[in-house]
Amino acid sequence: MLFVLAAASLTILLMGFVFLPALRGRKAEAVADEHAFDLTVYKQQLRELEADIERGAIPAAEADYARAEMGRRLLAAQDAVDASQNAAGKARQAGAPVLAAAAVFAPLATILVYTMTGSPGMDSQPLATRVAEMREQVAARDLQDMQITELVARAEAHLNQNPDDGRGWDVLAPMYLRLGRAADARNAFERSIAIQGESAARRSGLGQAYYMLAGGLVDANARVEFVRALEIDAGESRARFFMALAAAQSGDEAGALRAWQALVGDPNAAPEWQAAAAEGLRRFGAPATAATPGSPAPQLDAETMRDAEEMSAEDRSEMIAGMVAQLDAKLRDNPDDLAGWQRLIRSYLVLGRETDAREALERALAAFAQDEAKRDAVAQFAATLGLASGGEGQ
Amino acid sequence: MIVELGHYSLVLALILAILQTVVPFVGVKTGDDRQVAMAPNLAFAVFAALAFSFTVLTWAYVTSDFSLLNVVENSHSQKPMLYKITGVWGNHEGSMMLWVLILALFGALVALFGSNLPPSLRAMVISVQGLIATAFTGFILFTSNPFERLSPAPFEGNDLNPILQDVGLAIHPPLLYLGYVGFSICFSFAIAALIEGRIDAAWARWVRPWTLAAWIFLTAGIAMGSYWAYYELGWGGWWFWDPVENASFMPWLAGTALLHSALVMEKREALKVWTVLLAILAFSLSLLGTFLVRSGVLTSVHAFATDPTRGVVILGILVFFIGGALILFALRSSSLSNGGMFHPISREGGLVLNNLVLTTATATVFVGTLYPLAVEAVTGEKISVGAPYFDATFVPLMVPLLLAVPFGPLLAWKRGDIYGAAQRLYVFAGIALVAGLVTLWFATGAPVLAAFGIAIGFWLLFGSFAEVWQKSGLPKAGLSKAAARLSGMPRSVWGTAFAHAGLGVAVLGIVSVSAFQQERVLRMSPGDSTELAGYVISFDNVEAREGPNFTEDVATFVVYRDSDPIATIAPAKRLYTARGMPTTEAGIHTTGFSQVYVALGDPVEGTDQIVVRLWWKPQVTLIWLGPVLMMIGGLFSLSDRRLRIGAPTPSAKRRETLAAAE
Amino acid sequence: MTRKQKRTTVIFGALAMLGLAVALVLTALSDQVTFFRTPTELLAAPQENSGRIRLGGLVETGSVKNAETSGVEFAIEDANERVLVRYAGILPDLFREGQGVIAEGTLQTDGSFLADTVLAKHDETYMPKEVADRLKEQGYWQGEEVSATQ
């Protein structure tokens, strides 16, 4: 809107300025005769000639020639002035239609051409502002996370008192997902289902929790939940997204693309999952930027997706690398985190850093030296990715 | 929003340029004073719209707005601020924007200073100017739009070609364009005059300041470009007869001819047809230059933006303007009356000789530049025409002109006395002869041609002041009287003297460098030293440094004369990180008018040696000081009050008739 | 002199000037034009190519070495042939093995090529047009130009 106003004022300003002399009429324009201008020039030339002669710059004989020639020019110009003055005086207002046409044509043509070539809605994007905005977004997300943590703490306290409040669990479960606390999320969804019975949303939420527990893999547990969710409601967006992801992870990329396409095109689907599907399409559709199957971070919220979309492939892989490094560091401090190890190994493989994946596996096995169940779980997880057998990365 | 407003403003400029073409033209043709009166405002409005648009584009570069494709392709967030700004015109789209901006600027200047012009002539000139602006603004919008957006915007750009990251780029293209495009005014004046069918001495007087201004800028632009190539490319050459250099040189030659023939037309009303033709040719050659550079049809180091489809469109514009102008010229020129007669030996005769030589010289450059294109189009054989061709054609043609230059101002109008002129010049001829002989004597083994060249240089340098000397009345008149006479002399006389002397200075530099420069290519390790032209140059060390957007290896050379260190030279090899592109930064030390020039080559593998190229360039700076003198001459002429003519006041009688008509 | 005589003098002067220019241009064009050749074309007819030549092709990988004194040697190759080039100046900044190059000079009797100018690629978007065209014809290309003269 501001743009339209600015463009309109610019047009009106310049057009007004252009038409000003026409609007003012010709009273102020008591123009001298065309030939009078010639006369001025010749008079001046004559004066210069006289000055030159006076300084002795021109010999006398030559001076006479020059004077005579100049005089002839002067006379001719004077005649022309007289002649045209006799003919002058007729009112000349013939061009009103031309002016009217021009006044209409100019703004219309400008708008037409601009809409052909321009991008009217698009904002300027100075780099400094964009960087600042990005910082703000990150800060806002951190703040949101903090608020959620607080809410979670309160909800947890409430549920400690009233463990059978099904609605309480319903509220808490997605927050756990948002915070990446997969095990808690699974627990919360299970409690909710146990108390209030199943729904498509609860089943698919539980599926997502399993997906996160498996380190970003739609494993058998998760798949069961998604299938169940779709049995209850065939249109449930999250389950549709993850079933497509499952297809992609099992090698059926064409199927995945079809399913995501359908999701993106479905007017009833949830927007955040449409965005996730669009991102999925982009990754698989454009191999250059395809980070590979399963790479969506655990929290697939619309914001992250939007950020990711705005980034170039290079920035994105840099961001992913940064996240992986963070995870790695976290696991050094706090090695007792099975899901974390699984995610780290998987991420390294996804990034094609097989040596790092192997090293992470070694570290994980060492970390769980006392805990056989977890050690086996890690080893098995690595085996499903083809790591233990020394096969290829994927 | 700002960016889109800039884009909108560009569109508005196109539409206003269409109005600028149509409204004044219709106004003059139908005799509607209101439309004629709108012409100046239209010229101002187009300039304002383009200036706003250009400012927005610059702002986008300054703030690194990578949502513009053009910014992404040619800028980088880490680039120094100066190059962010100059980068605006360091690419095809931006340089075309600068082109039309300057075009509109000249249109606005005609509107501003044109009060001494008959309104209908001024309106016609502005209309023709508007037609050119329409064609090129349309070209920008539809084939090379710098406001094309990119979504999502990347976070970093591709950087500007490092060769173009230099102060030279800040100044060279704007100056060159001011010159190139300045000739559009002469063109518009010529077309307007042909349409109006009225060309007389007054016309020449009106068109001369514009020609002079454009010529000064073009001289500056070419000299600047030459110096830039000299120090930035690291090849030690100052003129390569590169097609793009020729593209700017041809309008300069034609413009110089125009400057002189307009003088004849103003004083004697002779050479009318010829002057109008030259005005058309000067701008046509500017357009040709734009075409050659922008279309990329030539193999040239300047072809930093090449796109064949754009080339076809520019070719279309070129054909339209040049063809249209020449057709109009053919139809109308016969109606122009002949002017005053003159004897072949006269001021006019001298100026005709000037015109003949300059136009034939332009033609030889034209042939040499376009011959390879023609041959390839006809036979498919790929050839190139280099410096030897131009040395063999252009130089011999110019020699008679250079010899004749000092005579010109001494000859009278209409019928001159060549013996009288010769008598006044023999002292200067003597000086020149002595200079040539001294050259032969001191520079043992110097080619006779070099001595001849030096003699011509001195002949021009001193002979140019013969008129001033003669008019001062010295030595007879006595100092005080002479001083009074000199101060009373029209500035244009000084202008002529300086411009011609500048030519002599440039000739001295060119001959001196061509004949006496010394060059050595050798491998040096730190600690080595070598002898060059009486200097000892020692290579001290190499040091790695970090620039804002490049890394460089800077070598330190110390120049000794008689074992005293007199200067340090620091040539460098740079690597621009964003493009991974290396460049050579020459190291230059100036002593007097001469220079020691050092360029670094590659390190020799397996040793600490570096290939070094050293030049001794005697009097090389004269090559550029000459044009500076020429520009000073031009400025003198331009400031001559004779070129400033007041507007006539309406006569009393006229006012009465007007009042009666109301 | 009559009016007619004056005019005739000017016209004759102009014609003489023009004649001189045409003569100069024609001689210069027959002597000074440099033909573009690929190594294959050059070696196919060495006698015909005894004048100044612009030799264009790719710098053969591994062929660049410093000569005994201060110059360099390298080979320019196309799909079929290679020619050894000797050059005494500084190679341009963007001279690279395996990329497009133009050497200007003359063919020596021993079959090597003595260059006084070497032009290499200018930046990543620009390649000597002749080289690109010819190598494309041969189905053999990459690369691009800045030049160095000596």
Side-chain angles (χ1 to χ4, degrees), chain B residues 10 93 96-97 100 135-146:
Chain B
L10 184 61
E93 289 82 0
M96 289 313 295
M97 280 290 282
V100 290
F136 279 92
T137 314
F139 170 75
I140 291 177
L141 262 178
F142 297 115
T143 74
S144 334
N145 194 335

Side-chain angles (χ1 to χ4, degrees), chain C residues 2-139:
Chain C
T2 64
R3 195 183 175 95
K4 200 172 171 185
Q5 276 173 321
K6 287 172 187 168
R7 171 160 289 197
T8 325
T9 323
V10 173
I11 288 174
F12 266 107
L15 284 180
M17 196 77 210
L18 212 63
L20 176 68
V22 169
L24 283 172
V25 165
L26 289 181
T27 4
L29 280 184
S30 61
D31 294 349
Q32 311 287 8
V33 161
T34 319
F35 287 91
F36 178 84
R37 294 286 181 257
T38 63
T40 310
E41 291 165 346
L42 183 68
L43 296 180
Q47 306 82 6
E48 286 171 28
N49 293 315
S50 54
R52 255 181 97 71
I53 295 294
R54 279 159 75 91
L55 177 66
L58 301 182
V59 181
E60 191 186 66
T61 308
S63 71
V64 183
K65 57 172 185 278
N66 289 291
E68 307 82 59
T69 54
S70 65
V72 283
E73 289 180 8
F74 57 91
I76 293 183
E77 60 169 7
D78 61 5
N80 316 309
E81 291 284 358
R82 66 189 290 276
V83 173
L84 186 69
V85 179
R86 291 176 216 282
Y87 175 59
I90 291 184
L91 290 171
D93 288 328
L94 291 161
F95 181 90
R96 295 273 185 283
E97 292 189 345
Q99 286 188 338
V101 71
I102 289 181
E104 208 172 315
T106 46
L107 184 64
Q108 307 295 298
T109 43
D110 65 353
S112 73
F113 190 83
L114 185 67
D116 52 35
T117 304
V118 172
L119 311 154
K121 82 166 193 166
H122 193 191
D123 61 39
E124 57 275 29
T125 57
Y126 185 55
M127 148 124 189
K129 203 158 88 49
E130 307 97 301
V131 178
D133 291 354
R134 285 299 162 87
L135 293 183
K136 265 186 211 154
E137 281 165 25
Q138 294 186 354

Side-chain angles (χ1 to χ4, degrees), chain B residues 161 163 235 240 296-303 306 338-339 341-344 352 356-357 360 364 367 371 376 380-386 388-389 392-393 396-397 415 519 521-523 573 579-584 599-602 604-605 611-613, chain C residues 1 3 5-7 9-10 13-14 17-18 20-21 24-25 28-29 32-37 52 54 66-71 87-94 96 102 104 122-131 133-134 137 145-150:
Chain B
N161 187 338
I163 289 199
W235 313 334
F240 299 95
V297 293
L298 298 167
T299 306
S300 152
V301 292
H302 289 70
T306 54
N338 281 316
M341 287 305 299
F342 53 87
H343 192 272
V352 167
L356 275 177
V357 174
T360 29
T364 60
V367 169
Y371 184 66
E376 192 182 338
E381 175 78 88
K382 288 174 198 295
I383 60 162
S384 76
V385 171
Y389 163 85
T393 55
L397 278 177
R415 177 186 286 273
E519 183 198 355
V521 181
L522 70 168
R523 293 178 197 163
K573 270 246 178 241
R579 290 201 178 192
M581 179 168 166
T583 67
T584 303
L600 293 184
D602 291 315
V604 181
E605 256 172 63
V611 180
V612 180
R613 203 162 174 186
Chain C
M1 271 187 176
R3 195 183 175 95
Q5 276 173 321
K6 287 172 187 168
R7 171 160 289 197
T9 323
V10 173
M17 196 77 210
L18 212 63
L20 176 68
L24 283 172
V25 165
L29 280 184
Q32 311 287 8
V33 161
T34 319
F35 287 91
F36 178 84
R37 294 286 181 257
R52 255 181 97 71
R54 279 159 75 91
N66 289 291
E68 307 82 59
T69 54
S70 65
Y87 175 59
I90 291 184
L91 290 171
D93 288 328
L94 291 161
R96 295 273 185 283
I102 289 181
E104 208 172 315
H122 193 191
D123 61 39
E124 57 275 29
T125 57
Y126 185 55
M127 148 124 189
K129 203 158 88 49
E130 307 97 301
V131 178
D133 291 354
R134 285 299 162 87
E137 281 165 25
E145 176 170 5
V146 161
S147 52
T149 39
Q150 68 167 22

Side-chain angles (χ1 to χ4, degrees), chain B residues 112-149:
Chain B
L112 189 62
F113 295 114
S115 58
N116 59 348
L117 298 177
S120 68
L121 178 65
R122 176 165 67 161
M124 261 320 179
V125 170
I126 289 175
S127 168
V128 178
Q129 203 73 13
L131 189 61
I132 305 170
T134 305
F136 279 92
T137 314
F139 170 75
I140 291 177
L141 262 178
F142 297 115
T143 74
S144 334
N145 194 335
F147 289 103
E148 214 163 287
R149 302 298 291 270

Side-chain angles (χ1 to χ4, degrees), chain A residues 43-129:
Chain A
K43 277 180 186 156
Q44 184 144 4
Q45 275 189 327
L46 198 60
R47 274 201 297 279
E48 282 160 18
L49 184 70
E50 297 299 342
D52 279 350
I53 294 168
E54 217 166 285
R55 276 188 303 117
I58 296 172
E62 207 181 311
D64 286 342
Y65 270 132
R67 222 185 249 132
E69 200 172 296
M70 217 68 93
R72 273 200 297 279
R73 260 184 243 165
L74 253 174
L75 284 178
Q78 185 64 56
D79 285 350
V81 171
D82 293 344
S84 69
Q85 270 182 9
N86 295 334
K90 59 175 170 34
R92 297 186 288 189
Q93 299 273 337
V98 178
L99 287 182
V104 175
F105 158 81
L108 289 183
T110 310
I111 292 164
L112 182 75
V113 174
Y114 177 71
T115 44
M116 271 163 58
T117 59
S119 332
M122 206 164 155
D123 262 341
S124 311
Q125 302 176 18
L127 191 61
T129 327

